[in-house]
Amino acid sequence: MDAIWTLGSHSVAEHPALADNVEVDVVIVGAGITGLTAAQALVEAGQRVMVLEAGNVGAGVTGGSTGNLYATLASGQAPLRRKWGDQVAADVVRARTQALEHVESLVARFSIDCQFQRQPAYRLLTEDRQHSQHDLNDELDALISAGLDAEITDGPRLPFDSWGIRIANQAQFNPLHYLQGLANRLIGEGAFIHQRSPVREIDAANGLVKTDTACIKAKEIVQATHTPKGINLVQAGMLVSREYALCSKLRSGEYPEGIIWLLDPFHSLRSYRHGDEQFLLVIGEKHKTGEHQGDHYQLLREYLESRFDIEAFTHQWSAQQYSSPDGLPYIGRMHGRDNLYMATGFAADGLVWGTLAGQIIADQILGKENPWQERFGARRITPGKSALQYAKENVTVTKHMLKDYFGTEKLESFDEVQEGEGRVATLDGEKLAIHRTENGELKVFSAVCPHMKCIVHWNAAEASWDCPCHGSRFDTDGEVIEGPAYRPLTRHE
């Protein structure tokens, strides 16, 4: 099901699929918030820019986000302060505040109809837990130390007891409408945007980006793909997870306003208005990509029904997150190639990090100084703050490799796969990803992920094949949905 942001969605003028090889100054892979933010700055500076998008503008991670814009981190300011200290924690807030203000300035400057509005953010407890008092005090102190306007509060209008911290002057918008407005502005200024144009190869040494139909030569190549395509060392320490969103209408009661983080242990709430209709969103049920246990959407339904008077559920969707081993994003020039850029490690805070990343990368390409370039540089090495997560993630990858290669069920016949079912099984000695549609059509692929040869898992909630090692995901036709893989799963006739 589509995200709520598609209501009232605007079409994006686009260029037809590339038929001939072309040359530009900058090619950007990915039309999410990172890619289009960078493109806007580069086009205004006179650069010839081409944006390649495998799906539609904003329909990836940006279009699956919460639409929340905030200067702190969803995981909390206090953990960041403990890991990095006061200076870095304050730098994160300053950098993210500047990025949030950049979004606000573009909305006003280009008259983008995306319902941007300033709202407070809340970190709330929902029951009296003595051990949480100290944590909340630490969080409040960390927020104030970083320069944010924060105070203890009873919370917004909620039909259950809550209390915690209110952070003033954050914001919300419709992220998809924002990007669609930005894309149309870019096209009007001469940028090329090609939707449904997946990139199959990046040859940075020769400045080449290849799609199924053409080859683009560029001086600079930006991977605005949420995680770099192909094999990259940074992926070895990245925690890849999925989080789910559910949208509902209330039969009675008020829709709470603001960005609401409930520490129970963690859910996010917000309301959204489209025309005369109002909706309540809940986000939660986070888990590692490729590790699917239970019906996450049903758990969110039960969560809302236990707290609100629900009339109907209207939308559901999910999004992927990449959390870096040291807790900060990697932004800018990649190791080994001065003409190749990436932006990853945004965790649950991608709308603001993506905006900042687009600004930093554009400044690097244009040779301009950016105050945050060094702090979040993609070439930084922080072993003291990264080693533990690197170790954990490599153990996880090894566990999945051993379990999936030696523990996959054996299948005697495709007839064992029922309609609507997806199974990974060994047949005649080969690992296969097998799906039978509701109409009875059988689709069979190699279960080996083309990225680094892990075995994909079936995601029944989203009807996709997900790799538990580095987060590549494939649809029921084997095509890449997201992640580092360039190529689709190998089809078996």
Side-chain angles (χ1 to χ4, degrees), residues 95-271:
R96 287 176 60 83
T97 297
Q98 178 269 316
L100 195 164
E101 290 170 349
H102 184 70
V103 172
E104 186 173 27
S105 70
L106 292 185
V107 169
R109 189 173 150 208
F110 300 146
S111 300
I112 300 175
D113 182 13
C114 62
Q115 296 175 268
F116 181 97
Q117 60 179 330
R118 288 287 182 167
Q119 290 276 24
Y122 299 89
R123 295 186 69 81
L124 302 177
L125 299 174
T126 57
E127 59 185 35
D128 185 16
R129 293 182 291 175
Q130 290 184 356
H131 71 275
S132 297
Q133 173 69 43
H134 180 68
D135 293 341
L136 213 57
N137 288 337
D138 284 351
E139 181 67 18
L140 179 62
D141 186 58
L143 290 166
I144 293 173
S145 175
L148 288 165
D149 181 2
E151 61 181 358
I152 294 294
T153 181
D154 289 335
R157 297 187 299 269
L158 293 171
F160 49 86
D161 290 338
S162 64
W163 66 280
I165 298 171
R166 180 183 186 274
I167 310 164
N169 207 32
Q170 307 307 295
Q172 293 176 323
F173 70 161
N174 181 317
L176 180 58
H177 291 186
Y178 172 72
L179 285 193
Q180 289 170 337
L182 203 53
N184 282 324
R185 175 79 184 193
L186 283 166
I187 292 171
E189 293 182 355
F192 299 91
I193 296 180
H194 295 273
Q195 301 181 105
R196 295 174 294 283
S197 300
V199 167
R200 301 304 189 190
E201 182 183 347
I202 294 176
D203 178 3
N206 294 300
L208 301 176
V209 174
K210 300 177 183 179
T211 69
D212 289 328
T213 57
C215 180
I216 303 93
K217 185 171 181 59
K219 299 172 185 175
E220 313 283 351
I221 302 170
V222 179
Q223 296 198 74
T225 48
H226 207 205
T227 187
K229 304 296 283 185
I231 297 172
N232 189 284
L233 180 61
V234 74
Q235 293 157 351
M238 204 67 68
L239 172 62
V240 190
S241 56
R242 296 198 67 72
E243 197 164 29
Y244 297 80
L246 189 68
C247 199
S248 62
K249 293 183 68 64
L250 299 183
R251 183 180 295 109
S252 63
E254 296 180 318
Y255 288 84
E257 294 292 330
I259 302 165
I260 303 168
W261 294 310
L262 298 172
L263 310 180
D264 59 356
F266 189 88
H267 287 85
S268 176
L269 294 176
R270 67 159 294 185
S271 60

Side-chain angles (χ1 to χ4, degrees), residues 386-398:
S386 306
L388 182 59
Q389 185 163 312
Y390 267 103
K392 285 182 177 179
E393 290 313 304
N394 280 284
V395 167
T396 298
V397 170
T398 302

Side-chain angles (χ1 to χ4, degrees), residues 3-5 60-70 74 96 171-176 243-246 258-261 266-272 281-284 317-319 321 348-352:
I4 186 72
W5 316 125
V61 177
T62 301
S65 68
T66 61
N68 293 329
L69 302 163
Y70 44 87
R96 287 176 60 83
Q172 293 176 323
F173 70 161
N174 181 317
L176 180 58
E243 197 164 29
Y244 297 80
L246 189 68
I259 302 165
I260 303 168
W261 294 310
F266 189 88
H267 287 85
S268 176
L269 294 176
R270 67 159 294 185
S271 60
Y272 177 69
L281 283 69
V282 62
I283 296 93
W317 69 97
S318 67
Q321 301 170 7
D349 313 300
L351 291 174
V352 175

Side-chain angles (χ1 to χ4, degrees), residues 335-476:
H335 285 284
R337 294 293 173 192
D338 286 345
N339 66 332
L340 186 61
Y341 304 78
M342 73 172 178
T344 190
F346 296 165
D349 313 300
L351 291 174
V352 175
W353 281 138
T355 300
L356 183 69
Q359 293 178 286
I360 290 174
I361 290 171
D363 283 346
Q364 283 188 311
I365 290 172
L366 297 172
K368 296 168 62 176
E369 286 294 323
N370 186 294
W372 310 116
Q373 180 176 313
E374 184 176 353
R375 173 67 71 209
F376 306 112
R379 292 176 174 176
R380 72 176 185 275
I381 299 174
T382 55
K385 295 178 174 61
S386 306
L388 182 59
Q389 185 163 312
Y390 267 103
K392 285 182 177 179
E393 290 313 304
N394 280 284
V395 167
T396 298
V397 170
T398 302
K399 178 192 73 175
H400 281 296
M401 292 284 280
L402 292 173
K403 177 184 176 182
D404 293 339
Y405 269 96
F406 295 105
T408 306
E409 67 171 321
K410 289 184 170 60
L411 203 65
E412 298 298 327
S413 166
F414 290 131
D415 293 336
E416 297 179 40
V417 181
Q418 303 301 309
E419 291 181 359
E421 185 181 13
R423 292 168 68 176
V424 175
T426 301
L427 187 65
D428 296 332
E430 187 171 5
K431 307 293 182 186
L432 299 177
I434 309 160
H435 171 60
R436 192 180 297 278
T437 69
E438 297 291 349
N439 297 325
E441 180 186 0
L442 190 67
K443 298 184 177 183
V444 183
F445 304 90
S446 168
V448 179
C449 176
H451 176 234
M452 289 186 69
K453 310 307 179 186
C454 288
I455 301 298
V456 297
H457 293 181
W458 174 246
N459 179 346
E462 299 171 273
S464 63
W465 298 104
D466 299 357
C467 178
C469 294
H470 304 104
S472 292
R473 301 181 62 241
F474 308 85
D475 64 20
T476 54

